[in-house]
């Protein structure tokens, strides 16, 4: 539907600065009329949406609305491009109303310019089209339900339903898992063998392969474990590099080499190793033939797992046909998703059980269909009348299309603000793990998130993602210790629906190979999913607003002056900033790789032209120079993530909207700056020796929204001890302290009072303690994650009975002097993950048997422990996953 773009346009028309600029251009009266007419259309769009229109005339009416909304957006952008882009940076740095005053001066000087006159003409033409669209709705049989449009503008705020992080929704795979694990570990077969798991989309092939891959026995059996997701539009060189990178770092030749070079390198890399290789979701026989033909086939027990929708991918292999779920497993899965807050151990309500039985027959034992249907039901009252109505009104289609129909119904059930957010997932490559915070910033930059009085745009975006997760349209990859989503992904069938809807709505165009670049030259939002899109960028596209290019190298974008979103998704290998000159409209900029030092002026020029930027994410862009002072006065700036050790803002900056500031050095002026950062949430600072810690501690207490703090530098821990106000800082949830001094005698004694009382995550790197730090840290009542890295002083540590009551994850890395570690009974009762790395002298930890809730024990390069591997495994029989490697 067209609600998303229409809502975006209405939001822009209500913006104060936009109104002022359009008023100056002489179209203020038209703007008011236009807003009223568009608001009237909102109700009719809701009616068309709820009736799920199929009439071609109605579809044409909706398309007309969408097209005119896009044209309005272009007029607004034209007004800013003509005037604001000519405004000197110094004037822009003073804020939105200075933009207006500068524009007024230009208008008085250039009011007879034809381009400005055309804006008024364009607006009048659009008004005429809008009136015609409103008058024609009766001919299209689209009638309002009589309800106001206000409810269309916001998604209702619901309490979050946070699922169990142990993934309780996976059912019915235990027998299949055991069968495949048995084949993998069959000692009678020494030669490399292939297991092909086949079945229709949504049947759970990937889920089953993951359960096998993560099996404790499988992890212990093989020397090398490699998982590679294959997309329908695959690139063989990328796949080969991915496999090699699982075993050893990629060299420059690997990055630049052709297919034959990489095939040869693949053989040499795996030769002599007992490997397990999983190729998930293969679509063509040719791909397996080329890779399989070079895989080492020595008689050492190597194995390959293939998952595919097609049975003939590996012709010489008997396929393992994954069965559909039984009715019992189907009902169990459906009810878990539909009733997430209810205890189902005592059975189901009789009336819901009855209609549930009818639902599972429609789903035919397909897990994805059951999960998405359950997510749809979870948003409806858990009563018979509501469920039976959905059963009777859904368009179930023909046999074999149930999953598609369920996904379509779940999509259509979304509020329109969520439809746009869901379609946005089409931009990401298949099987891509998506950083949640980055996703929120992209949604904001694209204008998909509406301002709400009681919370930030990012908070609203987070609630939207949680809603999509509860509906089972998006899957959580990882949650933080405060249960917020850290990363997510989307099933390939759901992604196909997102792509289809994005295409229908003219929302996004996917450029997946060189043959379809022409369709992208007229698109407003483009995602390029193949390496090298220079050809695409050579063709001017005056409407292009967003470019995602998660393949390298990044193209020259300088002629696409209307770009608002530019992202390489952390995948680029190099950046030349002359490629991005003149992009004055950028709201979101994410670049990675390596900056070439020989062109500082192009970097400074690029940054100097960013007048409305909200997010600058350069934290993966190595060695880029410090940002010029100008950028710190851009009032729209919300998130800045830089490569380490960059100069930060000066005390003259006023960054009330800034929420993220990472990768900057402290300065004496910072004590005057901190009060000007009232809304900062994430702060990472490299602390200079001359820094005034007393004032810093005082101002930290004024940052009421700060939840994550990272302090890097010399003499950091001693200074923290002296920060008397710091212990009472109540809002901080995550703290990292990294002592970077090379002095070996720089030791200190931690105290409970030196840490904020509500910490859930604590990382201490390079610290040298006088005594056992665990005796202090175990008293932090809210701590869920503790990471100690590079501590060199202590030979013995212990956790007492009752210590670390809430701890879930514990990491020891580079504890070079640690020889003995003991856990008393009733210590760490909730610990799930234990990882030990580079603790060369550490023997078998005493008391591991007391950790009854452990799910994972991972040991890397701990030579003393490796000598007692059998003893460790015997002690940890109760742990599902034990992995020991040197």
């Amino acid at each position: 539907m067209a609600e998303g773009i229409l809502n975006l346009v209405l939001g822009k028309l209500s913006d104060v600065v936009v109104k002022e600029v359009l008023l100056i251009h002489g179209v203020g009266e038209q703007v008011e009329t236009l807003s009223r007419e568009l608001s009237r259309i909102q109700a009719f769009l809701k009616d068309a949406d709820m009736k799920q229109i199929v009439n071609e005339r109605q579809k044409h009416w909706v398309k007309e609305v969408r097209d005119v909304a896009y044209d309005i957006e272009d007029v607004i952008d034209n007004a800013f491009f003509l005037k604001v882009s000519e405004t000197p940076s110094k004037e822009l740095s003073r804020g939105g109303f200075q933009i207006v005053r500068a524009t007024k001066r230009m208008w008085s000087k250039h009011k007879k310019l034809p381009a400005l006159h055309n804006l008024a003409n364009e607006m009048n033409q659009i008004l005429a089209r809008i009136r015609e669209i409103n008058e024609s709705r009766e001919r299209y049989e689209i009638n309002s339900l009589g309800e106001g449009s206000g409810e269309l503008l916001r998604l209702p705020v619901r309490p979050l339903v946070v699922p169990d992080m142990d993934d309780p929704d996976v059912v019915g795979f235990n027998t299949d898992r055991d069968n495949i694990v048995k084949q993998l570990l069959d000692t009678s077969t020494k030669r490399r063998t292939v297991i092909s798991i086949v079945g229709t989309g949504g049947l759970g092939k990937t889920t089953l392969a993951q359960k096998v891959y993560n099996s404790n026995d499988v992890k212990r059996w093989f020397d090398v474990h490699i998982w590679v997701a294959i997309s329908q539009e695959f690139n063989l060189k990328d796949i080969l590099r991915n496999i090699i990178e699982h075993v050893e770092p990629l060299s420059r030749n690997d990055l630049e080499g052709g297919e034959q070079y990489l095939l040869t390198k693949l053989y040499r890399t795996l030769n002599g190793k007992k490997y397990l290789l999983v190729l998930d979701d293969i679509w063509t026989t040719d791909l397996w033939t080329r890779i399989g033909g070079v895989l080492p086939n020595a008689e050492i027990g190597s194995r390959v797992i293939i998952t595919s929708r097609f049975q003939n991918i590996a012709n010489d292999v008997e396929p393992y046909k994954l069965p559909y779920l039984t009715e019992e497993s189907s009902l169990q899965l459906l009810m878990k998703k539909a009733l997430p807050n209810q205890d189902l151990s005592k059975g189901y309500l009789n009336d819901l059980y009855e209609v549930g039985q009818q639902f599972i027959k429609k789903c035919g034992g397909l897990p994805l269909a059951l999960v998405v249907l359950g997510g749809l039901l979870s948003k409806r009252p858990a009563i018979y009348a509501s469920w039976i109505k959905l059963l009777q009104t859904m368009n179930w289609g023909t046999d074999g299309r149930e999953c598609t129909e369920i996904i379509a119904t779940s999509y259509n059930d979304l509020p329109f603000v969520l439809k746009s957010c869901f379609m946005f997932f089409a931009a990401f490559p298949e099987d891509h793990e998506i950083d949640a915070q980055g996703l929120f910033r992209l949604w904001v930059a694209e204008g998909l998130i509406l301002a709400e009085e009681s919370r930030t745009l990012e908070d609203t975006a987070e609630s939207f993602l949680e809603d999509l997760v509860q509906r089972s349209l998006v899957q959580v990859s990882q949650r933080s210790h405060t249960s917020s989503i850290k990363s997510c992904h989307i099933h390939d069938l759901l992604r196909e629906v997102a792509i289809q809807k994005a295409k229908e709505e003219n929302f996004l165009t996917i450029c997946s190979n060189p043959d379809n670049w022409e369709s992208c030259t007229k698109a407003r939002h483009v995602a390029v999913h193949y390496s090298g899109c220079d050809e695409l960028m050579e063709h001017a596209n005056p409407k292009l607003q967003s470019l995602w290019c998660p393949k390298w190298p990044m193209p020259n974008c300088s002629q696409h002056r209307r770009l608002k979103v530019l992202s390489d998704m952390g995948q680029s290998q190099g950046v030349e900033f002359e490629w991005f000159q003149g992009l004055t409209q950028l709201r979101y900029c994410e670049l990675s790789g390596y900056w070439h030092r020989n062109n500082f002026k192009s970097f400074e020029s690029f940054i100097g032209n960013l007048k409305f930027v909200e997010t600058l994410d350069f934290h993966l862009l190595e060695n880029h120079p410090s940002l010029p002072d100008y950028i710190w006065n851009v009032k729209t700036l919300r998130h800045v993530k830089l490569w380490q050790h960059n100069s930060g803002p000066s005390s003259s900056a006023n960054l009330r909207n800034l929420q993220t500031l990472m990768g900057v050095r402290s300065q004496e002026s910072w004590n005057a700056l901190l009060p000007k950062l009232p809304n900062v949430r994430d702060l990472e600072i490299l602390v200079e020796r001359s820094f005034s810690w007393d004032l810093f501690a005082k101002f930290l207490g004024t940052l009421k929204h700060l939840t994550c703090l990272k302090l890097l530098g010399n003499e950091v821990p001693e200074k923290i001890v002296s920060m008397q106000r710091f212990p009472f800082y109540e809002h901080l949830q995550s703290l990292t302290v990294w002592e970077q001094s090379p002095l070996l005698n720089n030791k200190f004694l931690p105290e409970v009072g030196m840490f904020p009382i509500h910490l859930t995550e604590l990382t201490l790197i390079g610290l040298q303690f006088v005594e056992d730090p665990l005796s202090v840290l175990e008293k932090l009542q809210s701590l869920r994650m503790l990471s100690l890295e590079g501590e060199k002083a202590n030979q013995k540590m212990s956790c007492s009975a009752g210590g670390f009551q809430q701890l879930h994850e514990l990491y020891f890395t580079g504890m070079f002097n640690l020889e003995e570690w003991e856990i008393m009974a009733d210590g760490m009762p909730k610990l799930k993950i234990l990882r030990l790395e580079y603790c060369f002298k550490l023997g078998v930890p005493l008391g591991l048997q007391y950790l009854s809730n452990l799910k994972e024990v991972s040991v890397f390069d701990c030579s003393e422990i490796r000598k007692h591997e059998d003893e460790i495994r015997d002690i940890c029989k109760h742990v599902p996953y034990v992995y020991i490697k040197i």
Side-chain angles (χ1 to χ4, degrees):
M1 302 302 293
E3 303 99 320
I5 179 60
L6 192 60
N7 179 65
L8 173 60
V9 168
L10 279 169
K12 282 189 174 184
L13 291 174
S14 65
D15 183 84
V16 174
V17 175
V18 171
K19 279 186 173 182
E20 289 284 353
V21 172
L22 293 176
L23 177 63
I24 293 166
H25 288 317
V27 294
E29 183 177 344
Q30 292 97 317
V31 168
E32 296 299 327
T33 304
L34 188 61
S35 296
R36 289 194 300 270
E37 294 288 338
L38 291 177
S39 296
R40 290 176 61 198
I41 290 177
Q42 287 267 21
F44 297 100
L45 282 174
K46 178 184 179 182
D47 181 58
D49 190 28
M50 293 185 68
K51 291 180 178 178
Q52 294 304 300
I53 59 173
V54 294
N55 183 293
E56 289 302 321
R57 292 189 304 158
Q58 293 173 336
K59 288 183 179 179
H60 180 71
W61 184 84
V62 172
K63 181 179 181 299
E64 287 183 342
V65 173
R66 181 173 61 241
D67 290 345
V68 77
Y70 280 134
D71 288 343
I72 297 169
E73 187 182 24
D74 287 340
V75 168
I76 296 172
D77 289 343
N78 284 342
F80 272 83
F81 187 76
L82 286 170
K83 285 310 193 181
V84 180
S85 63
E86 300 172 9
T87 308
S89 297
K90 291 182 180 179
E91 301 216 38
L92 285 165
S93 67
R94 298 169 190 160
F97 290 100
Q98 279 70 25
I99 296 175
V100 173
R101 285 197 286 271
T103 307
K104 285 181 179 178
R105 291 196 297 272
M106 285 193 218
W107 171 247
S108 63
K109 186 176 180 180
H110 302 287
K111 60 184 178 180
K112 294 184 180 181
L113 284 176
L116 300 181
H117 179 68
N118 287 341
L119 288 175
N121 289 338
E122 289 175 0
M123 189 65 79
N124 286 329
Q125 291 173 10
I126 286 173
L127 270 174
R129 290 169 60 191
I130 287 288
R131 292 191 178 103
E132 183 179 349
I133 288 172
N134 259 327
E135 292 169 0
S136 67
R137 66 177 184 272
E138 292 184 5
R139 297 198 306 271
Y140 293 114
E141 300 175 0
I142 299 174
N143 301 306
S144 174
L145 298 178
E147 300 177 8
S149 61
E151 66 181 274
L152 289 171
L153 298 179
R154 280 177 171 78
L155 180 70
V157 178
R158 302 183 178 90
L160 299 182
V161 179
V162 180
D164 190 324
M165 295 175 70
D166 288 333
D167 193 10
D169 299 324
V170 177
V171 299
F173 288 112
N174 289 340
T175 300
D176 299 296
R177 178 198 60 198
D178 294 343
N179 290 338
I180 294 176
V181 168
K182 185 178 179 180
Q183 293 182 49
L184 293 178
L185 307 184
D186 182 7
T187 57
S188 66
T189 305
K190 298 295 185 181
R191 292 186 62 79
R192 185 206 73 196
T193 57
V194 179
I195 298 173
S196 178
I197 304 173
V198 301
T200 188
L203 195 54
K205 302 180 295 297
T206 298
T207 301
L208 173 58
Q210 287 172 338
K211 290 173 75 71
V212 171
Y213 185 81
N214 292 320
S215 163
N216 186 26
D217 292 334
V218 168
K219 286 290 187 182
R220 182 171 61 246
W221 191 257
F222 295 95
D223 301 327
V224 177
H225 308 79
I226 305 168
W227 180 288
V228 179
I230 313 294
S231 64
Q232 187 171 357
E233 299 287 349
F234 68 87
N235 181 292
L236 179 58
K237 289 191 290 187
D238 289 343
I239 293 171
L240 295 173
R241 292 188 189 104
N242 198 341
I243 297 173
I244 295 168
E245 193 173 18
H246 274 77
V247 184
E248 60 183 45
L250 294 176
S251 66
R252 186 176 185 86
N253 288 338
D254 299 335
L255 294 173
E256 298 176 352
E259 289 182 3
Q260 191 55 51
Y261 168 86
L262 291 169
L263 287 167
T264 303
K265 178 65 180 286
L266 173 62
Y267 174 83
R268 292 174 178 172
T269 301
L270 294 180
N271 192 32
K273 299 179 177 66
K274 184 165 69 172
Y275 59 85
L276 171 64
L277 171 62
V278 179
L279 299 174
D280 183 37
D281 200 17
I282 289 187
W283 284 74
T284 68
T285 302
D286 178 66
L287 175 63
W288 166 242
T289 300
R290 301 196 68 180
I291 294 178
V294 300
L295 291 176
N297 204 7
E299 296 189 359
I300 55 177
S302 294
R303 303 287 186 261
V304 178
I305 296 177
I306 293 172
T307 72
S308 180
R309 302 182 192 184
F310 310 101
Q311 295 187 27
N312 62 345
I313 293 297
N315 291 320
D316 57 341
V317 176
E318 182 69 23
Y320 187 97
K321 298 179 181 179
L322 189 60
Y324 290 86
L325 292 181
T326 64
E327 289 192 3
E328 179 182 358
S329 296
S330 294
L331 187 62
Q332 179 187 1
L333 180 55
L334 177 67
M335 291 302 190
K336 278 186 174 182
K337 295 301 299 181
L339 306 171
N341 293 324
Q342 296 189 24
D343 181 7
L344 302 177
S345 60
K346 298 179 181 179
Y348 320 114
L349 296 174
N350 289 336
D351 53 354
L352 294 184
Y353 175 81
E354 177 186 337
V355 69
Q357 289 283 358
Q358 298 181 63
F359 272 126
I360 65 172
K361 290 178 181 177
K362 293 290 187 182
C363 293
L366 194 64
L368 181 63
L370 290 158
V371 166
V372 176
L373 177 59
L376 178 59
L377 290 170
S378 73
K379 291 296 183 178
R380 295 172 179 255
I383 57 176
Y384 177 83
S386 176
W387 283 26
I388 197 68
K389 181 179 180 181
L390 178 64
L391 176 69
Q392 294 171 347
T393 56
M394 280 186 68
N395 178 19
W396 291 100
T398 58
D399 291 342
R401 293 185 54 203
E402 289 84 359
C403 188
T404 302
E405 298 298 339
I406 291 171
I407 294 174
T409 301
S410 190
Y411 170 82
N412 292 328
D413 190 63
L414 293 173
F416 73 81
V417 289
L418 277 187
K419 287 180 179 175
S420 296
C421 291
F422 176 74
M423 286 190 293
F424 196 88
F425 283 91
F428 296 96
E430 190 174 342
D431 302 307
H432 186 80
E433 185 162 325
I434 303 162
D435 174 69
Q437 292 298 323
L439 178 66
F440 302 155
R441 294 163 191 164
L442 281 167
W443 281 351
V444 170
E446 291 286 356
L448 305 183
I449 307 300
L450 300 165
E452 296 188 15
E453 192 172 324
S454 59
R455 55 183 179 176
T456 67
L457 295 172
E458 289 78 8
D459 287 340
T460 301
E462 184 176 9
S463 72
F464 285 9
L465 181 57
E466 289 284 4
D467 203 307
L468 290 172
V469 167
Q470 186 174 341
R471 295 170 185 269
S472 296
L473 295 176
V474 176
Q475 298 166 285
V476 175
S477 300
Q478 186 179 10
R479 285 186 180 272
S480 71
H481 295 289
T482 58
S483 294
S484 61
I485 300 174
K486 293 183 70 173
S487 60
C488 60
H489 61 280
I490 186 170
H491 191 280
D492 54 356
L493 285 182
L494 290 162
R495 179 176 173 271
E496 289 173 13
V497 171
I499 292 173
Q500 175 191 345
K501 295 298 181 181
K503 183 177 181 179
E504 291 175 0
E505 292 293 311
N506 195 23
F507 180 79
L508 175 74
T509 298
I510 306 295
C511 191
S512 55
N513 60 69
D515 296 330
N516 62 359
W517 64 263
E518 190 171 357
S519 64
C520 301
T521 58
K522 300 178 181 178
R524 308 175 76 86
H525 309 278
V526 174
V528 183
H529 291 170
Y530 72 95
S531 296
C533 57
D534 287 340
E535 183 180 12
L536 172 64
M537 291 294 100
E538 288 174 0
H539 300 270
N541 180 356
K543 296 183 181 296
L544 185 64
Q545 296 185 2
S546 305
L547 176 66
W548 296 272
C549 190
K551 300 289 183 181
W552 62 276
M554 282 292 288
N556 189 328
C557 304
S558 57
Q559 65 174 322
H560 300 275
R561 300 297 183 89
R562 305 300 174 85
L563 271 177
K564 297 176 183 176
V565 170
L566 176 64
S567 173
D568 64 5
M569 298 185 187
Q571 303 295 317
S572 181
Q573 298 296 317
V575 170
E576 298 283 357
F577 277 98
E578 57 264 31
W579 298 340
F580 311 127
Q581 298 303 309
L583 303 185
T584 60
Q585 306 294 308
L586 276 183
R587 267 65 167 173
Y588 182 100
C589 182
E590 178 186 17
L591 297 171
S592 61
Y594 187 83
W595 174 72
H596 300 286
R597 290 179 177 272
N598 58 351
N599 205 340
F600 173 76
K601 289 185 177 180
S602 64
F603 176 82
E604 192 172 43
S605 174
F606 167 70
I607 298 296
N609 280 322
L610 301 179
K611 299 173 172 60
F612 308 105
V613 68
E614 298 169 357
T615 295
L616 275 178
D617 190 345
F618 292 165
H619 81 283
L620 294 178
L621 183 60
E622 297 183 31
N623 299 314
H624 69 77
S626 294
L627 299 182
D629 288 342
Y630 152 72
I631 197 68
W632 300 110
N633 289 308
V634 174
K635 297 297 182 66
T636 55
L637 203 59
R638 302 171 71 86
H639 306 280
V640 178
K641 299 175 67 176
L642 304 174
W643 183 252
Q644 294 179 7
H645 311 163
N646 271 259
S647 297
S650 65
S651 58
S652 63
N654 190 353
L655 298 166
R656 295 192 60 82
N657 290 321
L658 196 68
Q659 297 179 29
T660 304
L661 181 58
M662 303 182 68
V664 295
R665 294 195 306 268
S666 65
Q667 306 172 54
E668 281 304 312
S669 60
W670 269 60
N671 291 320
L673 173 70
L674 285 178
K676 299 179 180 181
L677 301 172
N679 294 304
V680 70
R681 296 185 175 193
D682 298 305
L683 184 60
E684 178 187 294
I685 306 174
L686 173 67
V687 182
E688 305 285 342
R689 286 183 180 273
S690 60
F691 195 57
S692 176
W693 281 90
D694 291 338
L695 284 174
F696 181 64
K698 175 183 177 180
F699 288 128
L700 270 180
T702 68
L703 303 179
K704 301 301 183 183
H705 300 284
L706 185 64
T707 58
C708 178
L709 176 64
K710 296 182 180 180
L711 299 174
L712 298 72
N714 301 319
E715 302 178 5
V716 173
E718 290 87 350
K719 298 296 184 180
I720 291 181
V721 172
S722 67
M723 293 166 62
Q724 296 301 314
R725 298 177 184 84
F726 193 66
F728 305 103
Y729 187 73
E730 298 182 358
H731 310 281
L732 206 64
Q733 297 174 0
S734 176
L735 173 65
T736 297
V737 179
W738 188 345
E739 170 60 45
Q740 298 184 326
S741 172
L743 300 178
L744 297 179
N745 59 350
N746 191 14
K747 302 177 182 179
F748 86 111
L749 179 65
E751 303 172 3
V752 173
M754 69 178 282
F755 299 106
I757 59 177
H758 295 305
L759 274 184
T760 58
E761 300 181 5
L762 177 61
T763 300
L764 302 177
I765 305 175
L767 276 61
Q768 299 185 50
F769 303 107
V770 175
E771 297 179 4
D772 177 8
L774 298 189
S775 62
V776 172
L777 302 178
E778 68 182 10
K779 296 180 176 64
L780 297 175
Q781 296 299 313
S782 300
L783 201 63
R784 290 177 174 242
M785 190 284 292
L786 172 64
S787 178
L788 299 180
E789 302 181 27
E791 194 280 321
K792 303 180 181 67
N794 295 92
Q795 294 181 336
K796 180 178 180 179
M797 296 196 302
S798 64
C799 171
S800 62
F804 291 114
Q805 285 294 298
Q806 300 299 322
L807 196 67
H808 287 190
E809 299 180 24
L810 178 61
Y811 304 89
F812 288 168
T813 303
M815 310 284 278
F816 301 128
N817 291 343
L818 182 62
E819 298 178 5
E820 183 179 335
W821 175 41
E822 182 177 9
I823 306 112
M824 302 296 184
D826 299 323
M828 303 184 183
K830 296 184 179 180
L831 192 68
K832 294 183 178 182
I833 297 176
L834 171 63
R835 294 184 184 173
L836 308 173
E837 301 182 10
Y838 310 112
C839 301
F840 304 123
K841 298 180 181 180
L842 178 62
V844 177
L846 304 176
L848 281 179
Q849 68 272 17
Y850 299 135
L851 304 179
S852 58
N853 287 309
L854 268 181
K855 305 294 184 185
E856 174 188 333
V857 174
S858 297
V859 181
F860 299 90
D861 289 320
C862 298
S863 50
E864 194 63 31
I865 290 181
R866 183 64 186 267
K867 296 176 182 177
H868 305 279
E869 179 174 350
D870 292 340
E871 181 182 350
I872 285 277
R873 294 190 182 280
D874 185 61
I875 295 173
C876 295
K877 285 180 179 178
H878 63 292
V879 181
Y881 174 50
V882 178
Y883 184 55
I884 301 175
K885 182 180 180 180
I886 191 167

